[in-house]
Amino acid sequence: MSMNPTTISQLLEEMENWDKDKRFMAASDLMQEVTMSNQVLDLHIQKRVCQAFLKQLEDQSIDVQGNAVKCLAKIVCKFQEQQIGEVLAKLSQLVIDGKPEVRDIYATCLKGLLSELPSSCSSLACQNVLPKMLHGITSHPQVEVKEECTDVFHDFLKRFGDNRVVQWSDQENMATSLLNLLKPKQYKSSLRKKVIACIGALSAVLADRQLDALMRTLLSDVRSASTKAEKQKYIQCIGTVSRNVGFRIGQHLREIAPLFLQIVNQATEGDVTMDGENEQDHEVVENCLNAFESFVLRCSKEVDPHLEELYNVTLSLIAYDPNYYDTGDGDNAMDDGYEEFDDDGLVDSDDDDNSWKVRRAALKVLAAMVKGLPDKLHEIYERFAMPLINRFNEREESVKLDVFSTFSEMAQSAVIKNQSFLGASSQLPLAGSGGGILEVARLPPPKERPAAKNLVVVMPACIQQLNKQLRSKSQKTRQGALALLRTLCECLPQHIEPHIPQIQDELLRVMRENNSGMRLDALSCVRHLSEYFKSPLIYQQLAPHLCPLMLQCCNDSYYKSIAQSLRAIGAYLYPLRPGPQEISDQLMEMLPVFDVLRSKLLATDIDQEVKESALECFGHLVACTGDLPSFQGPLQTCLPPFMERIKNDVTRSTAIKALKMICVSQANITSMGAILPGVGGQLSAYLSQNSRAFRQQCLDSLVHLLRKYGSNMPPDTTMQILTDIVPFVTDTDLYITDLCVQVAVQVLQTSPQMAPVVVERCVPAVLIVCRSPLLQGSALDSILLFLSKVAQHREHCPFERLRQELSDTTVVAAAQAQAQRHVIGTLAKGLAAVISASPSDVQVKAIQHFIATVQQCPASPSPEEAQQCELSLLALGETGKYADLSGTHGFCETILKQLESHQDEIRLAAALALGYATVGAMGTLLTVVIDNAHQAGTGVKGQKTQYLLLTSLREVISIGVTKRGDRSLADHLRPHVPRVLPILSQYADSGEESVRNVVSESLGNLLMVDQEAVLQSLAPLLVSRESWRVRATSVSAVRFAAARHCPASTILPLKDHLLKCLGDEELAVRKAALHSLNVACLSPSCTEIFRGDTDLIFDRIKEDSKSRPELIREVNLGPFTHKVDDGLPLRKFAYTVCTSLLSAYPERIASPAIIDLVLQGLADNEDVQVICCQLLQDLCAWNFALYRIIGRIGDLVEPFDRCVMRCIKQVQAKQQVGRAMDMLRLYARTLRVVEPIAETNQHKIFVDFMARIMKDTVFAQVYEQASSGKDAL
């Protein structure tokens, strides 16, 4: 859009019109013309425009002045830098010597302009604004000018404080000038407030030396203050500085904390006199407590030595009310709403009493301790929970709401919340007996932290007091009490449940009222309590009173009330029918719900949230009542509109979730037969949709639908489903393949007559996937189950066909060695699955065939023969897991002979086969393995055989430990442990890393079998000074033991040795120790072992994460040299362990020191940067940690800017584009996590950085993808 010079001239003339409305509109139109145009104005026109707006700043009309302020800030940013500088200089000068009556307009305009200027104009602002504002602050005689200059200077520091001009200026004089404005008593309070805010903004950019000087000056001023008002302003200033500099003030807390605590104690001790100075005392105490709130959140470690005294002060001050004398009738007075206190209760009027400020500030300190000191929750709950409950009878309503809010914070910090039931149902295991009406296990209540027991103890007293507050005459008090009750029901539902009879009258009363907010809270309480019910009788007794009210809420005019009531009804159904045979009479109260749902399902003009809630409620209702005769009529009327919702593009996802909920019900819902063809066909048709997430959801629902109602599914529909899933049985998306194969398995189980179709359409695709080197995990398990089911239909798929297909190794001939071994191993598992599901005669023939194939393998086989021999060996081993092959003629001799083969692959396959087969024949083959290991000899050939037998033994031990339910495996192993340990100890010093890994894994697994014997052998190896390999091998054994979730008592004796190895002089030992520590920290059974050693571990991490030049060597590659960093693996392990420590012990690890690690890592190798980004994302996920690190957010700008720009340049130059795009996506995801934190805390430096890099189209596209998350359904 281009500008017309004639139009500009006309608008400039109109801006001087006598009519104020025309002046206003002309200014607005001119601003639109300039900002919407992509054309740059001539310099002389720019000057005319600026002069016209500056003139309007002095206009007689306030509206015109205000409009000019907004327009000038937006319009100047479109001008050239020269003109921007002139406008800044002009406005700055006008703030100092302009007309007094419009000085505030000039200041407001200048502040608006500073906020709109891009970061590239930072130097212009420093040159034209900073000197004049400092001159106005220090030299101008008028107080009004000082005040406006201080206000502008504050905004300038917030916007451009990071500029080097500011950082290189005489910061000490800036601080001194501002402090001088605090000293004169005649200055207005408004000036003092602006000066304090300005000092806070300045402190954020001060260097450490200047910050130290500022803090020393402020502390000296607090000590020397002659009046309470003077002391108050310096304390307030220290609190403001603390909130701006964050953790940097921590080093001064050893002086600040005792001083502030002394001031608080002096101001609040004894009876308050009636001399009129109480107000200043209270404000001084309030400011001190506000400062402590900041200290606790931002400097948790530094404030720790003062916590005991702070606890006592806070405990005293949350009940500090010198103007109220307790006459002993507190409860009765509370019941009357505090409306008739006499002189015995109050000695002063509420208008003159401001002690509530002290109580409110103390509550904020307590809330900060709950949020910022998660490792101290046990003490906090023990000391404060009951006193806080006693403060529910607080007489000042605003403070009472803060009491509720603080206790709510306590409740939220006591638990680790889990995800909603419906969203998690797809991952839940099938429930056994007692699992309720559903076949999936109910989610447990939110996980309670260990400290929560101290909060649970006071819950009866809390409910008793809360019930009184719910009967208060004050609407705000009732709202606050109900909001607290909602939080308690959400966090501690099973501890609130026994008290439902106490609070039910108030809940019912609230639901009858017209206050929609309170009604929503009451419905939320009902929903959360019902989701985690423990005693269904309580809910059944309440149902006749509650259900009609919930149905009434379904017809509310407010859509959120309707949605919440439908969710509450869906949750309330389960306690009314806790099991398939436990049908309460009160379930009939839910019969009218079908009519409500039918109207919601048919309606097209209702809110989307109501539609989704109605569908969710329908799923729960049918799951609980679909098999009851009384509900069949209403149910059948709802099924057609439900089917339409499945077809609807907007509601289909939620409707399919509801369908899955119906399918996992233990009730057999015969009415579903009417819609089975339509539902099955629709889900099958949806598989062609592009959205992977939606396709996954449809397949998951199909699995459950076929498992429950597959026998009633029409053959044509089943045929269509099988046809539609075949294209998705590939190795490109194994999770989708897994679901497709599960669908085929369900068809075979529920509709055996469809076996020919399954064999014809699905088996070829599955066999192709079996030959993929990518196949693993749950997809492999599903395919093995599928093959075993197909093998049972011999008439349609003969065994010999499956054997030949699974024995075809020609497809792996061109693959790499590792891929070949993986595919052959997969085919062997498939063969074993088919054999184990076949009749005994077929099994015997197959086993003899494999033995013959191995025996016929020549000494120097061709690649095809070697692959067939390897496959046969592994197939024998896999089959031996399920059947005892020790009695099979020639089995042992054949396997042992192949251990001496000239082919490495055949020898390894034989060792693995022997180990696998031993699992199924522990009584016989285990002795064979150990005897041969002892008899192998000490020569080169004997050592190789011994290593292979150790590999066999490793597989036996590993599988034996994994199958914990089968103690016979461990019992068979235990007598042989003394014979095995010497062999393992002998090979612990092997020069081959693969051998040492076998030893480590075997030792770690044996710890689970015979702890005492293994510890006696392992302890000397950990302190061995003869070889670093022995130490590395033995410390790695701890890793394997922890990976098996061994008991804490297993690793505890090795803890000191492990920590000592963190400081070993050998790189490999430190790396192995870090690796073991990483696994142990993440193991649920071993996490607590290292809780007290986090400081030591973190110090080692900081050392090992540093790049060391002596570990970097150059390798000569002929025409060029290549640098190899031997320290890189250690650094990667160090950062990985830091991530694990943060996950295991967040309250002890989360600190600004992690930001230092991240900054260091972002300058390191890209592999380290990946871990650092994950570390930063995890750190930002902990709310209590944000207060500790928010001051360091700005430090992230430079390294992220460097990393992002490097990748952008690589993409533009088309160099390593794939790698560069992967790193860009990583940076985008990390910045996506950090950006909201920076925006919330108005961190302008980071926000400007994001605005700048978002102008690059490559990064903007990547960032948008990171923000959108997964595909929309």
Side-chain angles (χ1 to χ4, degrees), residues 694-709:
F694 184 55
R695 184 183 302 133
Q696 173 184 328
Q697 184 187 15
C698 292
L699 284 168
D700 188 32
S701 296
L702 270 174
V703 171
H704 288 86
L705 183 68
L706 289 168
R707 182 183 57 79
K708 189 66 181 288
Y709 301 107

Side-chain angles (χ1 to χ4, degrees), residues 914-962:
L914 183 58
Y916 296 156
T918 303
V919 174
M922 293 286 281
T924 52
L925 290 184
L926 182 59
T927 306
V928 173
V929 172
I930 295 175
D931 287 345
N932 278 273
H934 272 283
Q935 299 166 8
T938 57
V940 176
K941 183 178 179 181
Q943 288 182 353
K944 286 184 178 181
T945 304
Q946 205 166 31
Y947 163 67
L948 292 169
L949 290 167
L950 285 178
T951 303
S952 302
L953 191 59
R954 178 196 62 188
E955 296 301 321
V956 177
I957 297 170
S958 176
I959 297 172
V961 172
T962 302

Side-chain angles (χ1 to χ4, degrees), residues 1100-1111:
R1100 292 307 315 166
I1101 287 173
K1102 287 192 286 187
E1103 286 298 316
D1104 289 335
S1105 63
K1106 295 176 182 176
S1107 179
R1108 301 187 183 280
E1110 64 270 18
L1111 296 177

Side-chain angles (χ1 to χ4, degrees), residues 248-432:
R248 292 174 65 199
I249 204 172
Q251 57 184 322
H252 299 281
L253 280 187
R254 60 181 179 273
E255 298 178 51
I256 299 174
L259 176 61
F260 279 20
L261 287 169
Q262 179 186 357
I263 292 171
V264 169
N265 287 327
Q266 289 175 351
T268 56
E269 65 185 4
D271 293 331
V272 178
T273 61
M274 300 295 293
D275 57 3
E277 295 187 2
N278 330 358
E279 184 173 351
Q280 289 186 345
D281 276 331
H282 294 160
E283 290 181 357
V284 168
V285 174
E286 181 187 15
N287 288 321
C288 286
L289 292 174
N290 288 340
F292 271 116
E293 179 191 1
S294 176
F295 299 155
V296 168
L297 288 173
R298 293 166 174 81
C299 313
S300 55
K301 287 191 176 180
E302 291 81 358
V303 86
D304 189 71
H306 313 284
L307 275 181
E308 184 63 33
E309 190 173 356
L310 184 60
Y311 285 158
N312 295 331
V313 168
T314 307
L315 189 60
S316 170
L317 295 185
I318 60 174
Y320 177 74
D321 196 354
N323 288 338
Y324 171 63
Y325 298 145
D326 189 359
T327 60
D329 298 329
D331 290 344
N332 296 331
M334 218 295 304
D335 292 338
D336 294 337
Y338 294 108
E339 294 182 359
E340 297 180 359
F341 279 110
D342 56 18
D343 291 338
D344 292 335
L346 294 175
V347 298
D348 203 352
S349 69
D350 286 345
D351 293 337
D352 298 330
D353 178 25
N354 67 347
S355 62
W356 60 270
K357 294 182 179 179
V358 174
R359 300 196 297 276
R360 183 182 63 183
L363 288 168
K364 288 182 179 178
V365 173
L366 178 54
M369 288 192 289
V370 172
K371 289 187 287 188
L373 303 173
D375 52 328
K376 305 288 184 182
L377 283 178
H378 189 280
E379 300 173 43
I380 294 171
Y381 290 159
E382 188 174 11
R383 287 177 179 240
F384 290 96
M386 199 63 214
L388 196 61
I389 291 171
N390 293 334
R391 293 310 304 165
F392 283 6
N393 62 359
E394 165 68 46
R395 61 190 179 88
E396 182 67 35
E397 189 169 58
S398 61
V399 181
K400 182 183 290 189
L401 296 178
D402 284 337
V403 173
F404 293 153
S405 175
T406 305
F407 200 86
S408 176
E409 195 68 49
M410 280 186 170
Q412 291 176 23
S413 298
V415 298
I416 303 170
K417 296 179 183 176
N418 44 25
Q419 56 189 330
S420 65
F421 174 72
L422 190 60
S425 59
S426 60
Q427 287 80 33
L428 289 173
L430 290 180

Side-chain angles (χ1 to χ4, degrees), residues 749-896:
Q749 289 181 333
T750 58
S751 304
Q753 70 276 12
M754 299 300 297
V757 182
V758 174
V759 170
E760 178 189 353
R761 303 190 180 183
C762 299
V763 168
V766 169
L767 290 173
I768 291 173
V769 175
C770 284
R771 301 185 185 99
S772 168
L774 303 176
L775 182 59
Q776 58 185 321
S778 60
L780 174 59
D781 295 338
S782 295
I783 285 179
L784 295 179
L785 176 62
F786 173 76
L787 290 174
S788 67
K789 296 296 181 185
V790 170
Q792 296 172 8
H793 296 272
R794 297 175 61 189
E795 64 277 12
H796 306 297
C797 187
F799 170 80
E800 195 59 30
R801 173 191 167 187
L802 286 175
R803 189 193 65 75
Q804 289 177 358
E805 290 280 0
L806 291 170
S807 299
D808 183 10
T809 57
T810 55
V811 293
V812 300
Q816 295 180 353
Q818 186 174 358
Q820 284 183 3
R821 285 199 296 273
H822 183 88
V823 173
I824 291 173
T826 301
L827 293 174
K829 287 183 172 70
L831 285 168
V834 171
I835 292 171
S836 60
S838 299
S840 57
D841 58 327
V842 175
Q843 292 183 13
V844 171
K845 290 180 182 178
I847 291 169
Q848 291 298 336
H849 171 79
F850 290 141
I851 293 175
T853 302
V854 174
Q855 291 173 342
Q856 293 167 9
C857 181
S860 299
S862 65
E864 175 64 26
E865 291 172 330
Q867 289 166 7
Q868 285 296 320
C869 181
E870 185 180 352
L871 177 62
S872 298
L873 285 167
L874 290 174
L876 284 170
E878 292 287 348
T879 306
K881 286 182 182 180
Y882 312 104
D884 186 349
L885 301 184
S886 59
T888 303
H889 178 69
F891 173 77
C892 287
E893 296 80 2
T894 302
I895 299 291
L896 290 172

Side-chain angles (χ1 to χ4, degrees), residues 44-45 122 128 206 241 286 426 456 587 670 973 1061 1104 1256 1272:
H44 73 281
I45 297 181
S122 175
N128 295 286
L206 287 178
V241 170
E286 181 187 15
S426 60
V456 171
L587 197 59
T670 55
L973 278 170
C1061 287
D1104 289 335
D1256 182 89

